[in-house]
Amino acid sequence: MNVTFSQGRIIANQRELVIRLEGAARITLQAMVDDIRLIGGANVVTASGSGVNWSVCLDDETQLAELAEATGIAVESR
């Protein structure tokens, strides 16, 4: 699955998630699906565990739902 949002692009599958942020720094965030949480309401993706710790706010609920479908991760309510 490939989703474009205002800050860059998300590439996701059943095993891993990659977020490529646009801008001069060209930052890439990567995590295994087991380390990901999807937080509804705030539309936030967080990764925590195995030396990984980051979060990204998405544009809307639709993007979060697409990500949940592609990865098999349930969206948590806030």
Side-chain angles (χ1 to χ4, degrees):
M1 178 213 99
N2 196 340
V3 172
T4 301
F5 71 113
S6 63
Q7 300 301 313
R9 197 169 67 155
I10 303 168
I11 303 157
N13 59 41
Q14 293 286 325
R15 295 179 332 193
E16 70 178 345
L17 174 76
V18 177
I19 298 178
R20 294 187 176 160
L21 299 176
E22 295 178 354
R26 303 187 72 118
I27 297 168
T28 299
L29 305 170
Q30 184 173 359
M32 300 304 292
V33 169
D34 294 341
D35 297 329
I36 298 291
R37 289 178 53 211
L38 305 176
I39 303 171
N43 304 323
V44 172
V45 179
T46 66
S48 179
S50 302
V52 171
N53 190 15
W54 52 260
S55 64
V56 173
C57 186
L58 302 179
D59 299 330
D60 56 46
E61 294 177 17
T62 305
Q63 293 168 340
L64 197 64
E66 289 176 21
L67 190 53
E69 184 177 329
T71 60
I73 300 171
V75 175
E76 300 175 17
S77 16
R78 199 165 95 148

